[in-house]
């Protein structure tokens, strides 16, 4: 028996030792500065891998490694709990970023060269989202939310790109009358249900609404009735199983010509092309109202780059971000990902998004609504439930109630 | 100290320590956080007393999650126990290819819940709907997981499909403890199959029935993976279970303290249910 005990304690000692050793492993053996780059886009892993390989080659003293787990935002939050913030974080400008920025875990980069290379409109967007002044993140790439359409099928039916809400509905009616699917909805995934919401809200009500909502000066019940009505209106022009198909189903179906329009973000383009490389895609901003000139393109920061406050390698981290922001590297990234660069002077040349470029050029862009809504409100599930039961009063009341509840808990 | 006793201390003390460090301590910590307004990652938080608990009782999302979870757990527990008892009796009879069938029925238990969930998710949206359309059954031609009223049935189907395997094994083990002489005697007395089941089989596997009821109930009260893989709590919050609510609200919604309070209550509820179930069912065992 004593033998067994000895063996057990030996085992325990080995266990302890491995824990100690693996804890030490964080320090580097090669003499290089190790930088961890954590980012949340699985689609972008390959693109970043290429850029990182190039950076590591050019900087023999630094070694950047990419970490891209599934459910990245949740993983990031749990790592912050453990005080184990990655050196560089790549994240969308969402409520998660906003919470993290407010918790002061990122370095203020306002006094570096980095913010000067990017478009000020995105820096302002970050300020609005977080409600804080320091530049905790450098906008890197932006996306667009609008209506994708199948150019070939549009041509065959002789349809024009709609510029106003009425034209959009008229187009949908024509398509429906021809026995085809106007919009391919993928509302089994709750985050898909809020794409029209994200376009309608900021355009019809404005982003200021959320800043005032935070101060409790306005309510959804006052301002969002039109948004809700239009959300419901769209549902008439879907297919037979709007709530049964998810995002992946939709990308496949739309790529193969089911549905002429697809309310979606630019992030889906690469997925759709994977399903059918020959599909002719077009993309127009969501015409939310009847003044064609007032329509703004909904565009949010798809990825921003932030440096941890606690990292001992701030200088090297900034060097890596500066490398990513170089026009040629940014161009390579947005070309592969069909995104839009936040870097001044870098343009997206993909024909599928050509119709969106004038909006970027003239600054007619507006941020996503849900970037301003606390995550705990769980907007997506509220919208999804509303589209199922169609009760506008209950929906708007629920938005206000949930918002207040969350504000009260903070 | 007696040398033999020392050995036993060596066995129990580390276990107690480990249990305390990895289970009791986090539970106490969770209770502590439930009295604060911590978001889960910030560096500062304040004591708010029992505010979280008060808010919990006014939150219809919480009520909704409890309602769904209990409805789900009761249906699943009953369905699993009936079906797995039937299957176990079939597999215990002298049928051909008995071991082969036993293997087949155990298979779902080996597969990961998440993978099974994703496979069924695909089947529900892309395969069953096509069957429904071809058979012209309108209720089957749309994805039931996408319907607020029916989504829970879909989750129940998957949970039962997978849960049966383990309970069948336990029932099989129970059935094998019954001496065959009892059946021979009842045969001589001219008892029918039905009578045989109620008077011999069921009373003798009563302890197994108890443990199966408690396990199935506990597992389905804690349902999480199936929900993530099948509906993610949707549509709306129609299939949001309590553990899913705790996870989404606590880790993704930044309301760690609030959901800690929820899990403290949830822990108490599960403990009470398990104790009541055990007492009630064990008393039934004695009666027989």
């Amino acid at each position: 028996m004593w033998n067994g005990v000895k063996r057990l304690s030996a085992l325990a000692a080995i266990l302890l030792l491995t824990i100690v050793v693996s804890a030490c492993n964080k320090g580097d053996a090669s003499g290089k500065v190790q930088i961890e780059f954590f980012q949340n886009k699985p689609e972008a892993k390959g693109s970043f891998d290429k850029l990182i390989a190039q950076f590591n080659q050019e900087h023999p003293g630094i070694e950047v490694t990419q970490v891209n787990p599934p459910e990245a935002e949740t993983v990031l939050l749990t790592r912050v709990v453990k005080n184990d913030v990655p050196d560089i974080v790549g994240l969308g400008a969402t409520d998660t970023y906003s919470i993290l920025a407010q918790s002061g875990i990122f370095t203020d980069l306002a006094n570096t060269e980095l913010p000067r290379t990017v478009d000020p409109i995105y820096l302002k967007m970050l300020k609005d989202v977080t409600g804080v002044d320091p530049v905790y993140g450098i906008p890197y790439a932006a996306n667009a939310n609008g209506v994708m359409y199948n150019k070939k099928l549009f041509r065959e039916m002789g349809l024009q790109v709609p510029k106003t809400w009425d034209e959009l509905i008229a187009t949908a009616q024509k398509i429906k009358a021809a026995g085809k699917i106007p919009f391919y909805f993928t509302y089994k995934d709750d985050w898909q249900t809020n794409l029209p919401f994200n376009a309608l809200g900021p355009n019809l009500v404005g982003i200021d609404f959320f800043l005032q909502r935070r101060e409790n000066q306005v309510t959804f019940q006052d301002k969002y009735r039109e948004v809700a009505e239009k959300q419901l209106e769209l549902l008439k022009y879907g297919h037979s199983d709007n709530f049964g198909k998810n995002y992946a189903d939709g990308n496949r179906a739309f790529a193969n010509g089911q549905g002429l329009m697809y309310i979606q973000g630019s992030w889906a383009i690469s997925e759709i092309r994977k399903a059918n490389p020959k599909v002719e895609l077009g993309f127009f901003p969501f015409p939310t109202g009847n003044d064609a000139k007032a329509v703004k393109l909904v565009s949010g920061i798809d990825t921003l780059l932030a440096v941890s406050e606690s990292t001992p390698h701030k200088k090297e981290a900034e060097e890596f971000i500066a490398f990513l922001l170089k026009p040629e590297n940014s161009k390579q990234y947005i070309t592969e990902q069909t995104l839009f660069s936040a870097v001044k002077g870098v343009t997206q040349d993909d024909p599928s998004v050509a119709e969106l470029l004038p909006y970027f050029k003239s600054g007619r862009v507006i941020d996503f609504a849900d970037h301003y809504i606390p995550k705990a409100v769980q907007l997506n599930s509220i919208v999804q439930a509303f589209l199922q039961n169609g009760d506008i009063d209950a929906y708007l009341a629920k938005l206000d109630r949930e918002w207040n509840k969350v504000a009260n808990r903070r | 100290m007696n040398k033999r006793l020392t050995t036993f201390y060596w066995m129990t003390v580390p276990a107690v320590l480990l249990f305390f460090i990895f289970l009791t301590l986090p539970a106490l910590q969770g209770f502590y956080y439930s009295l604060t307004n911590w978001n889960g990652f910030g560096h500062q938080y304040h004591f708010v007393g029992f505010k979280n608990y008060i808010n919990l009782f006014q939150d219809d999302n919480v009520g909704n999650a409890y309602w769904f979870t209990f409805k789900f757990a009761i249906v699943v527990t009953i369905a699993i126990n009936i079906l797995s008892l039937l299957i176990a009796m079939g597999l215990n009879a002298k049928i051909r290819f008995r071991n082969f069938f036993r293997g087949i029925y155990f298979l779902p238990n080996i597969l990961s819940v998440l993978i099974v969930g994703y496979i069924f998710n695909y089947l529900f949206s892309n395969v069953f709907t096509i069957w429904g359309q071809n058979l012209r059954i309108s209720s089957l031609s749309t994805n039931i997981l996408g319907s607020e009223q029916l989504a829970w049935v879909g989750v129940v189907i998957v949970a039962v499909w997978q849960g049966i395997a383990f309970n069948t094994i336990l029932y099989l083990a129970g059935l094998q403890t019954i001496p065959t002489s009892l059946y021979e005697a009842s045969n001589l007395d001219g008892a029918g199959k039905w009578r045989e089941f109620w008077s011999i089989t069921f009373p003798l596997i009563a302890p197994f029935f108890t443990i199966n009821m408690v396990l199935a109930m506990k597992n389905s009260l804690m349902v999480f993976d199936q929900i993530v893989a099948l509906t993610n709590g949707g549509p709306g919050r129609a299939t949001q279970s309590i553990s899913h609510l705790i996870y989404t609200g606590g880790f993704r919604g930044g309301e760690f303290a609030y959901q800690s309070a929820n899990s403290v209550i949830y822990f108490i509820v599960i403990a009470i249910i398990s104790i009541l179930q055990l007492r009630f069912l064990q008393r039934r065992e004695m009666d027989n």
Side-chain angles (χ1 to χ4, degrees):
Chain A
M1 188 43 85
W2 275 111
N3 239 336
V5 170
K6 263 186 210 157
R7 228 178 272 161
L8 253 183
S9 40
L11 200 74
I14 291 169
L15 258 176
L16 257 178
L17 207 72
T18 30
I19 291 168
V20 171
V21 167
S22 54
C24 288
N25 255 345
K26 284 205 141 173
D28 42 309
S30 55
K32 286 181 180 175
V33 173
Q34 302 284 330
I35 301 264
E36 185 188 1
F37 173 49
F38 181 103
Q39 62 93 12
N40 71 334
K41 270 175 73 80
E43 302 97 330
K45 186 168 187 303
S47 299
F48 278 124
D49 272 339
K50 279 188 227 164
L51 289 168
I52 288 168
Q54 197 190 336
F55 177 84
N56 286 344
Q57 207 181 4
E58 287 173 18
H59 302 76
I62 309 174
E63 188 170 0
V64 177
T65 40
Q66 182 180 191
V67 177
N68 174 229
E71 287 271 348
E73 285 193 11
T74 311
V75 173
L76 182 62
L77 290 178
T78 50
R79 283 191 55 179
V80 174
V81 176
K82 292 190 291 176
N83 267 328
D84 176 27
V85 187
D87 301 304
I88 304 174
V89 176
L91 195 65
T94 57
D95 182 60
T96 305
Y97 167 72
S98 168
I99 294 169
L100 289 174
Q102 285 161 16
S103 321
I105 67 150
F106 296 133
T107 311
D108 183 3
L109 299 169
N111 294 322
T112 62
E113 279 300 309
L114 300 173
R116 282 177 256 293
T117 54
V118 300
D119 196 329
I121 198 169
Y122 292 112
L123 289 171
K124 163 133 196 324
M125 218 178 247
L126 276 191
K127 210 175 188 177
D128 285 345
V129 169
T130 55
V132 295
D133 268 337
V135 181
Y136 286 127
I138 303 294
Y140 184 55
N143 52 31
N145 171 9
V147 185
M148 261 179 227
Y149 66 102
N150 189 318
K151 277 186 179 165
K152 186 163 159 266
L153 297 179
F154 257 57
R155 261 201 319 272
E156 282 172 10
M157 284 192 67
L159 296 168
Q160 296 291 314
V161 168
K163 295 265 187 269
T164 64
W165 170 259
D166 288 347
E167 284 176 29
L168 180 73
I169 294 300
T171 310
Q173 276 166 348
K174 242 187 245 170
I175 299 170
K176 197 178 176 187
K180 298 196 170 105
I181 301 168
F183 294 104
Y184 201 95
F185 290 123
T186 49
Y187 287 172
K188 178 159 186 303
D189 282 339
D190 59 2
W191 65 279
Q192 290 279 304
T193 59
N194 80 17
L195 290 173
F197 177 89
N198 271 328
L200 289 161
N203 265 309
L204 298 176
V205 188
I207 288 293
D208 283 347
F209 170 83
F210 295 106
L211 308 180
Q212 287 163 7
R213 188 71 188 75
R214 282 177 196 164
E215 311 293 323
N216 234 339
Q217 292 162 347
V218 288
T219 60
F220 284 99
Q221 290 172 81
D222 292 342
K223 302 268 185 179
Y224 263 67
R225 184 157 292 273
E226 188 185 351
V227 173
E229 284 164 0
K230 287 186 170 171
Q231 279 177 283
L232 272 189
E233 173 84 16
L234 287 170
L235 209 55
K236 292 182 194 155
Y237 305 102
H239 50 95
S240 62
D241 196 9
N242 295 327
F243 294 93
K245 301 292 179 190
N246 63 24
Y247 173 62
D249 295 332
N251 290 340
R252 245 192 330 267
F254 184 72
N256 294 317
Q258 292 184 46
L260 274 77
M261 294 187 274
Y262 192 30
I263 299 175
Q264 197 53 271
S266 50
W267 51 79
I269 294 177
S270 56
E271 296 295 312
I272 293 171
R273 286 199 176 133
K274 259 183 225 161
N276 178 8
K278 279 183 280 186
V279 66
E280 274 182 74
L281 289 178
F283 206 150
F284 58 89
F286 199 118
T288 49
N290 279 330
D291 178 3
K293 290 198 184 74
V295 170
K296 287 183 177 173
L297 173 68
V298 173
S299 163
I301 297 169
D302 201 60
T303 298
L304 57 82
L305 302 162
V307 177
S308 151
E309 177 68 38
S310 56
T311 174
H313 307 300
K314 279 187 192 168
K315 216 175 96 303
E316 290 84 353
E318 282 166 24
E319 211 168 312
F320 178 64
I321 294 179
F323 170 83
L324 290 179
L325 288 171
K326 276 188 191 167
E328 65 269 25
N329 294 335
S330 173
K331 178 93 184 173
Q332 181 186 334
Y333 179 74
I334 61 159
T335 307
E336 286 174 15
Q337 297 295 319
T338 350
L339 293 166
F340 304 91
S341 181
V343 179
K344 285 179 195 159
V346 179
T347 53
Q348 174 58 266
D349 304 325
D350 194 292
S352 65
V353 292
E355 289 155 76
L356 303 180
L357 293 183
Y359 290 85
F360 281 105
K361 206 170 258 172
S362 57
R364 277 168 69 192
V365 292
I366 195 161
D367 199 0
F368 284 70
D370 66 348
H371 289 177
Y372 296 84
I373 300 177
K375 252 201 164 152
V377 170
Q378 304 208 357
L379 171 75
N380 298 349
S381 66
I382 298 176
V383 175
Q384 196 184 30
F386 159 61
L387 292 178
Q388 289 235 334
N389 59 39
D391 186 343
I392 293 179
D393 292 316
Y395 166 55
L396 298 178
K398 175 113 184 154
L399 280 173
D400 280 320
R401 202 167 63 240
E402 291 294 314
W403 184 296
N404 292 339
K405 265 196 311 206
V406 170
N408 180 36
R409 276 182 227 142
R410 276 200 176 169
Chain B
M1 213 191 301
N2 184 334
K3 203 172 172 186
R4 266 185 58 192
L5 279 182
T6 330
T7 323
F8 287 127
Y9 277 113
W10 267 104
M11 287 166 156
T12 39
V13 172
V16 166
L17 272 178
L18 287 175
F19 185 86
F20 182 77
I21 293 171
F22 290 109
L23 291 166
T24 317
L25 212 57
L28 290 175
Q29 252 180 331
F31 178 67
Y32 168 78
Y33 286 129
S34 75
L35 301 175
T36 69
N37 68 351
W38 194 38
N39 63 10
F41 39 84
H43 291 302
Q44 50 191 349
Y45 54 84
H46 305 286
F47 255 94
V48 295
F50 285 93
K51 187 176 152 200
N52 285 329
Y53 290 88
I54 296 165
N55 282 336
L56 267 183
F57 284 102
Q58 293 163 349
D59 191 342
D60 53 343
N61 294 328
V62 175
N64 171 54
Y66 270 86
W67 164 238
F68 166 76
T69 310
F70 281 107
K71 180 172 72 173
F72 173 85
I74 291 169
V75 174
V76 168
T77 306
I78 293 172
I80 281 185
N81 277 286
I82 292 175
L83 291 172
S84 59
L85 185 53
L86 288 177
I87 293 173
M89 295 201 338
L91 292 177
N92 199 42
K94 289 196 179 66
I95 52 170
R96 282 228 236 173
F97 309 118
R98 197 167 64 170
N99 287 335
F100 170 75
F101 281 121
R102 282 182 183 179
I104 290 282
Y105 279 104
F106 194 62
L107 211 60
N109 192 51
I110 304 169
L111 302 170
S112 141
V113 187
L114 268 179
I115 292 173
V116 168
Y118 284 118
I119 292 172
F120 268 93
N121 197 349
Y122 183 83
L123 294 178
F124 276 123
S125 76
N126 295 311
V127 177
F128 297 158
T129 51
I130 294 174
W131 293 356
Q133 282 157 14
N134 291 341
L135 296 169
R136 307 214 178 281
I137 306 171
S138 62
S139 56
L140 263 183
S141 55
T142 55
N143 184 349
I144 60 167
L145 294 179
S147 148
E148 263 195 309
Q149 286 78 38
L150 291 178
W152 72 280
V153 179
V155 185
V156 165
I157 291 172
V158 178
V160 170
W161 182 83
Q162 189 162 42
I164 284 175
F166 185 66
N167 290 45
T168 304
I169 289 293
L170 287 186
Y171 276 129
L172 257 181
L175 289 171
Q176 282 168 2
T177 61
I178 304 174
T180 43
S181 55
L182 281 177
Y183 290 115
E184 284 158 12
S186 76
N187 251 332
L188 288 179
D189 293 342
K193 279 281 166 209
W194 198 238
R195 182 66 199 270
E196 202 177 84
F197 173 77
W198 282 116
S199 304
I200 303 176
T201 314
F202 197 62
L204 283 175
I205 58 163
F208 293 89
F209 178 71
T210 306
I211 199 72
N212 269 342
M213 286 294 275
V214 174
L215 280 181
M217 188 75 182
K218 189 208 117 224
N219 281 338
S220 39
L221 279 176
M222 295 178 37
V223 58
F224 178 77
D225 321 32
Q226 286 100 335
I227 305 269
V228 169
L230 286 169
T231 62
N232 208 9
R237 289 188 189 248
T239 58
Q240 185 162 51
S241 72
I242 305 167
S243 27
H244 189 259
L245 174 68
I246 291 173
Y247 169 75
T248 45
F251 291 106
R252 296 161 82 181
E255 299 196 307
F256 190 82
Y258 180 64
Q259 295 300 346
S260 290
N262 196 0
S263 40
V264 169
I265 299 219
Y266 188 34
F267 165 76
I268 296 171
V269 168
I270 290 195
I272 291 175
I273 290 177
S274 300
I275 293 168
L276 285 180
Q277 239 186 337
L278 275 174
R279 290 188 95 183
F280 174 77
L281 291 169
Q282 271 173 345
R283 198 174 316 137
R284 204 190 57 88
E285 282 172 34
M286 309 290 182
D287 289 346
N288 280 300

